Amino acid sequence: MAKIQPEQSAPSRARTIGIASAIWASSIFLSRIIGLVREQIVGRTLGASRQADLYFASFTLPDFLNYLLAAGALSIVFIPIFLAHVQRGEEEGGWKAFSVIANFMLLAGTVGIVLLMVFARPLAGVVAPGFNDPAEVDTLVRLMRIILPAQFFHVIGGLLSATLQAQDRHVLPAMAPLVYSVGIIAGGLVGAYLGWGADGFAWGVLAGSIIGPFGLPLYGCLKGHMRWYPMLSFRNPDLRRYLILSLPIMIGFSIVLVDQWIIKNQASYLAAGELSYLQYARTLMNVPIGVFGMAVGVAAYPSLSRMVAAGSIPEAYGVLVHAVRLMLVATFAAEVCMTLAGVEAVYLVWGAFASRFSAADAVATGTVLAYMSLGLCGWAAQTLISRGFYALGSTWVPTIVGTAVTVLLIPLYVVLRQQGGAIGLAIASSVAIIVYVLVLGWLQRRRFEREARERGLTLSTAPGMIDGAWRSGLAAAIAIAIGLLLRHFLLQWLPGLHVGVAILRAVVLCGVGVGIYAVLARRLGMHEFGELTATVMARLRRRRRSA
């Protein structure tokens, strides 16, 4: 295994983050595209039907187990532990830390899967209490039991991926979600041919988990001379540190993770297809979240951890602020497009040439998407802001804030579901994530200020995250208002939902909307828009030269 240096020069650190960001941006972008293809096949196979609702609801219990094992935060918690050994020249200690944590996860995961499979039927009433038909409950339980074992491979695979990322080996971890989605697609296509319906997609989830999230990182670790020892001791300091850092994530119910559970729970009371509208809308919204939020957050985290460990607190916070402002510029542009042309996008993905997904379904899903996109900037920003706390070794603050927001706003989900159905749930989701991010961003600034003072340093007085949010948000709001007026006239000149008409309307609405947004954002002082544009143009020029 290659040695990892305790510190890097600024140019070297920037180059490392840049390469990792490019790898993860490409991976997550492709993952979102393949995810769209996956959901397109789901929509064209199952439509906006009760069977589709049951398929989407069947992920709640497996996701809950994944959450209890803190699988989503494995890289965040494990990378600093592994790096601490490697930076001291103790590579053997790093692999022993991996072994004791992996063996604990094997034991805990196996017990959790067995228990949840045994009690899947009574738990189905908690997951989706609105599904009362016995046949629907039977289908939901069967789907949950097929998908549950996949979490074993996600958890262990996540730890293997974290080990590779700690060594700045990002290619195989970045490929894992792509292979996972391909597995689901293959399962769905085979299932459609054999008449399995939703069961085909569920079996695809299991197969994709084995090959992608588990198989690829395992191959990478074995190729890098991985050492996995048969050891398990709760007195081991690395396991104890891992459990202490993971405990807030395991026992807390942050709105970031629980939002989908609440929506699926409440949507089970709605008419058939309403849960599917929410799921399809979230799928489209996840594309810019992944490209603009997750890619930068995942790639920058190892370097942020090194900067904090080296005591470079102002520099670390400056990197975070700059990344968030760049991300805000991009995500508000995406929000403009999704709000103005969401119906057309939904129709082109799921409705064109399809018999199971109607024009009415496209309009309903597009409307839900417009309201859900109100929280787009929040969903993207939280992936960066939370990693600022994790780099400081603070996992409690995001969890406590997220759990508090969940507890306070659950009644909002219930009331808005009763008053507005799927649209009401989309609004509740947007309000919850924006509240969470605003509170978390404010607390993060205070925490970095305290860390800097303790080292005799001060943070930069340059414009921060909130400044970027209100400037970009105001520009987006004006662009959306003008765009909606244009949409009103376009629907009279270019009525209907056909492929050609939908493409033309989407191009005009997005082009005009983003153009207005770009002008206003720069006038309001968001110079990051120019930086983002220059970066994109430079990459395009490089691709032309290589072609």
Side-chain angles (χ1 to χ4, degrees):
M1 183 178 69
K3 295 276 187 182
I4 300 177
Q5 300 301 320
E7 292 185 38
Q8 294 178 303
S9 64
S12 175
R13 182 169 60 238
R15 183 173 181 273
T16 299
I17 295 177
I19 293 172
S21 295
I23 292 172
W24 280 103
S26 300
S27 167
I28 295 174
F29 177 73
L30 289 173
S31 180
R32 295 307 185 222
I33 297 301
I34 295 176
L36 278 177
V37 174
R38 180 192 68 212
E39 297 302 312
Q40 183 183 48
I41 294 173
V42 172
R44 291 170 181 270
T45 303
L46 306 179
S49 64
R50 181 59 86 192
Q51 191 177 33
D53 293 346
L54 291 166
Y55 170 70
F56 293 129
S58 68
F59 283 87
T60 301
L61 198 59
D63 286 348
F64 176 69
L65 175 62
N66 191 287
Y67 177 74
L68 285 181
L69 295 173
L74 277 173
S75 61
I76 292 171
V77 175
F78 178 72
I79 284 176
I81 296 174
F82 191 84
L83 281 176
H85 286 284
V86 174
Q87 291 176 336
R88 292 195 299 266
E90 302 170 358
E91 294 182 16
E92 188 73 9
W95 287 114
K96 286 183 178 179
F98 164 82
S99 300
V100 71
I101 295 171
N103 293 334
F104 168 77
M105 301 300 283
L106 276 170
L107 178 62
T110 301
V111 172
I113 288 169
V114 171
L115 287 175
L116 291 179
M117 290 185 76
V118 170
F119 295 103
R121 185 166 295 276
L123 288 172
V126 178
V127 168
F131 297 151
N132 297 316
D133 185 277
E136 293 178 354
V137 175
D138 289 342
T139 300
L140 179 60
V141 171
R142 183 176 68 252
L143 293 173
M144 288 193 297
R145 284 174 172 162
I146 295 172
I147 296 172
L148 268 169
Q151 304 315 304
F152 174 89
F153 300 100
H154 279 290
V155 170
I156 302 302
L159 195 60
L160 293 167
S161 289
T163 303
L164 293 175
Q165 290 176 60
Q167 303 168 62
D168 284 322
R169 297 167 60 196
H170 296 277
V171 174
L172 288 176
M175 287 175 61
L178 305 179
V179 176
Y180 172 63
S181 289
V182 170
I184 299 175
I185 291 171
L189 292 175
V190 172
Y193 178 77
L194 298 175
W196 292 354
D199 288 48
F201 291 103
W203 285 111
V205 169
L206 181 57
S209 302
I210 296 171
I211 301 170
F214 176 74
L216 286 179
L218 178 62
Y219 169 76
C221 287
L222 290 173
K223 192 175 179 181
H225 308 293
M226 175 185 76
R227 294 182 286 280
W228 192 338
Y229 301 102
M231 55 185 293
L232 178 61
S233 171
F234 289 98
R235 294 181 179 178
N236 183 283
D238 290 315
L239 177 58
R240 292 172 67 178
R241 185 185 175 195
Y242 171 81
L243 292 174
I244 290 171
L245 291 174
S246 299
L247 186 63
I249 303 169
M250 293 177 178
I251 66 174
F253 289 89
S254 173
I255 196 66
V256 174
L257 297 170
V258 180
D259 174 73
Q260 289 196 55
W261 304 350
I262 299 173
I263 284 181
K264 290 175 181 178
N265 177 282
Q266 290 298 303
S268 69
Y269 290 104
L270 303 177
E274 297 280 313
L275 193 158
S276 298
Y277 296 154
L278 287 157
Q279 185 65 33
Y280 294 139
R282 189 180 292 273
T283 298
L284 279 179
M285 189 178 71
N286 280 342
V287 175
I289 290 175
V291 174
F292 302 131
M294 289 179 62
V296 178
V298 170
Y301 180 66
S303 293
L304 282 173
S305 296
R306 294 189 189 102
M307 293 168 73
V308 170
S312 303
I313 299 301
E315 290 80 1
Y317 187 69
V319 167
L320 272 177
V321 169
H322 183 63
V324 169
R325 287 175 66 92
L326 277 173
M327 179 275 306
L328 287 172
V329 167
T331 51
F332 272 113
E335 180 182 337
V336 171
C337 267
M338 289 190 170
T339 302
L340 298 179
V343 172
E344 287 74 17
V346 170
Y347 173 77
L348 292 171
V349 173
W350 289 286
F353 312 113
S355 58
R356 298 293 302 272
F357 199 92
S358 67
D361 292 330
V363 172
T365 305
T367 305
V368 169
L369 174 62
Y371 287 99
M372 191 171 281
S373 294
L374 293 173
L376 176 60
C377 60
W379 288 111
Q382 62 84 23
T383 63
L384 288 166
I385 295 174
S386 60
R387 279 174 169 80
F389 281 103
Y390 299 148
L392 292 169
S394 174
T395 54
W396 277 106
V397 174
T399 300
I400 292 173
V401 173
T403 303
V405 171
T406 300
V407 172
L408 291 174
L409 294 184
I410 282 179
L412 180 67
Y413 284 84
V414 176
V415 171
L416 290 182
R417 185 264 300 172
Q418 293 171 339
Q419 300 297 320
I423 292 175
L425 288 173
I427 294 172
S429 175
S430 297
V431 170
I433 193 62
I434 289 173
V435 170
Y436 170 72
V437 167
L438 287 175
V439 174
L440 198 65
W442 177 73
L443 290 174
Q444 185 180 76
R445 172 79 188 190
R446 291 173 62 87
R447 175 62 186 270
F448 269 91
E449 285 176 341
R450 187 170 77 247
E451 294 286 339
R453 279 198 304 271
E454 290 175 357
R455 293 166 173 81
L457 305 169
T458 58
L459 298 185
S460 170
T461 57
M465 302 177 191
I466 299 297
D467 176 85
W470 82 258
R471 292 175 190 274
S472 298
L474 178 59
I478 297 173
I480 288 172
I482 297 173
L484 289 175
L485 184 62
L486 174 61
R487 179 180 179 82
H488 173 74
F489 290 108
L490 273 180
L491 287 173
Q492 297 178 20
W493 299 332
L494 297 170
L497 266 181
H498 306 288
V499 174
V501 171
I503 292 175
L504 182 57
R505 272 209 309 259
V507 169
V508 171
L509 289 169
C510 283
V512 173
V514 173
I516 295 171
Y517 166 73
V519 172
L520 292 174
R522 299 195 69 166
R523 288 292 183 90
L524 288 170
M526 287 300 292
H527 304 297
E528 288 81 3
F529 198 97
E531 180 182 342
L532 185 66
T533 304
T535 301
V536 172
M537 295 304 295
R539 288 183 179 179
L540 289 175
R541 283 194 293 269
R542 284 197 298 268
R543 289 182 181 178
R544 286 199 194 99
R545 292 194 197 101
S546 62

